Amino acid sequence: MSLDYVKSTPGFEKFMPKDYRDLIDHGPFGKKVSVSQVGTFKEIMEEHPMCAGCAMTLFIRLSLISLPNPEDTIIVGTAGCGRLAISQAAIPFVYGNYGDTNAVASGLKRGLMTRFPDKHKDVVVMAGDGGLADIGFSMLMHSWFRKEKFTTVMLDNEVYGNTGGQESGMTNIGSVLKMAPLGKKFDKIDMPDLAKTAGCAYVAMVVPNNPKRVEQCIKKAVLIAREVGPTYIQAYTSCNIEYAIPTDKVMEDAKNVENDRYQFKEYISDEAKQYLGEKWGYKEYAKKAIQTTEVAK
Amino acid sequence: MYQKREHLYKRDEPYVLKPGPEGYVPPAAASMGIELPDPGEGLIYGRKTNEDAVMEEIAKQMLTGKNPTLFPGPLVLWNWNDHAKIKAHAVLEIANEIPGVMIIPMPDYRPKYPKIEPEEEINPNHPNLTIWHNKIEVCIFVGLHCHYANLTLKMIRAGTNCLTVAVCAEQGHEDAMLTIRDSDDNKLRRLAQVIRKVRESMGIPAPTRPPYGGGKREIVTPEEWAKIRSQGLSSLTAGTPPKGMPMREGQMPHL
Ligand SMILES: Cc1ncc(C[n+]2csc(CCOP(=O)(O)OP(=O)(O)O)c2C)c(N)n1
Ligand code: SF4
């Protein structure tokens, strides 16, 4: 299929706002762009109304750059800070009611598979820790149990940022927040382990201060979700407002948290490794797939 | 600006859908008893009327109102398929008949913060900003999805004095002051012809300049516009004719 649908109709090119002409001429559609090329192409999200210095916006920006096919991707989001930025990116965005993201994404993905049987249309859920681990927990888990083929990205700021600082299931034990003055009484939910147990083919934990790694995780997760099964990325995206992190210390905090509870972890099922190796030319997995076969012999 | 026009809501009198400002959160026209037009009809200020008469009223308003503007939406701005291409051209034919018309696109529906450029675009979430900034008193929306037309038309009626026209490919839009339905490329061309006829009958000369952008910026050169006008569809659709697209009366052959 040609990429004509990300171009304007003949005669209207000149009438398009400059921003759109730049997107058509210099955007990432139909090209392979990388975070290392930032500044050389027009990004699909350039402005946002989130708090200055918010690490979540950096992560969202990196994720959007990393999508393998932005012209064929739909993001599903919900209430929470992230949607403020995601919804104004130049790719389709669906707002699922708070908690409903993974049910909405399930239906959407199935519909797209029926409507476009010869084409991959990627669906990516991007929602907060409250949206996914609390109110959306059941929908999230069941989408995994059903092996729905889309990616879920948790923007984990360990708090309800958008509503002023309530604790979530992902808040750390003992954390005192504006609206959790007695401190959290329970442990942070181990979502990556739950994801693995529930049957996700790919699970990763990342922080935004390593852009290349974010890119690799997003690419793998989206590709694997096309044909193998559900994938999950959990990203530490600090809330500098609710955790009172000075804006110039946001990256330092991310580094500290990475060294503590957010060490990089990645799980890839054997089937997913084989798929990445054979279908998408990931050399490291192509080899491993062969080795596994040899051992099995 | 936001004073409610209570007299519009008189009991036992049919609701008349007039230009605003009608006040913050105006009622949905449907809730005031206005129905969608049947095939062959349109709406004039909420009243079901023969489509030809609606087209004439659209022509009169666009030819006499202040700063007439076309707001093309995503369905005609993006090159989805051959039909979009042909419709886009027919929209330009409408523009070609209205002297001093502005073309301000609505390329998509995403919210835009911290700001939008009201001279460059109209955003469905803040259409009033574009209308206020460019002092638009009559406009045509074409190529928008229904749910965003819904939002935009109500916001314009709420906070501006702009007369809205919805040229709709589905069943028309009851929240626009003037609307026609089932608008395929054929009907768009017919509207262009009606505008030409009305213009000539009113003694208004044909446009001599290309349409402007918001703020009266020149966005295409007169030479480029002449090419769009004179070479017709064949200059725009490269190569073979679109499959399954019957030729319309008055349509240029695809060479
Ligand atoms: C059904 C429902 N319940 C409650 C809310 C109110 N609400 C909006 S955002 C939000 C918290 C968001 O927290 P999280 O999902 O962690 O995202 P963050 O803002 O921290 O990124 C809540 C409770 C809502 N919009 N819908
Ligand atoms: S409240 Fe927190 S998470 Fe939300 S935008 Fe501000 S810093 Fe980011």
Side-chain angles (χ1 to χ4, degrees), chain A residues 56 79-82 95 98 128-131 135 155 157 159-163:
Chain A
M56 195 183 287
C81 292
Y95 184 96
Y98 199 48
D129 44 306
I135 188 170
L155 306 166
N157 56 4
V159 63
Y160 285 32
N162 204 208
T163 42

Side-chain angles (χ1 to χ4, degrees), chain A residues 7 9 14 18 20 88, chain B residues 76-77 108 111-113 120:
Chain A
K7 300 194 178 108
T9 40
K14 287 268 178 173
K18 172 90 172 69
Y20 289 84
Q88 67 181 62
Chain B
V76 292
L77 288 173
D108 55 35
K112 293 198 176 164
Y113 302 101
E120 290 245 310

Side-chain angles (χ1 to χ4, degrees), chain A residues 50-52 54-56 81 157 161-162 237-242:
Chain A
M50 292 171 69
C51 301
C54 175
M56 195 183 287
C81 292
N157 56 4
N162 204 208
T237 55
S238 68
C239 175
N240 47 318
I241 297 296
E242 295 307 331

Side-chain angles (χ1 to χ4, degrees), chain A residues 4-12 14-20 23-24 44 47-49 87-90, chain B residues 72 76-80 84-85 88 91-92 103 105 107-108 110-113 120-121 219-220 224 228 236:
Chain A
D4 279 353
Y5 56 97
V6 282
K7 300 194 178 108
S8 44
T9 40
F12 270 115
K14 287 268 178 173
F15 294 99
M16 283 294 223
K18 172 90 172 69
D19 217 28
Y20 289 84
L23 259 179
I24 293 165
I44 52 182
E47 291 183 325
H48 64 79
S87 63
Q88 67 181 62
Chain B
V76 292
L77 288 173
W78 296 102
N79 210 2
W80 305 107
K85 212 181 276 187
V91 172
L92 291 173
I103 293 186
D108 55 35
R110 51 191 162 129
K112 293 198 176 164
Y113 302 101
E120 290 245 310
E121 64 182 311
I219 42 185
V220 291
E224 284 164 335
I228 294 171
L236 304 174

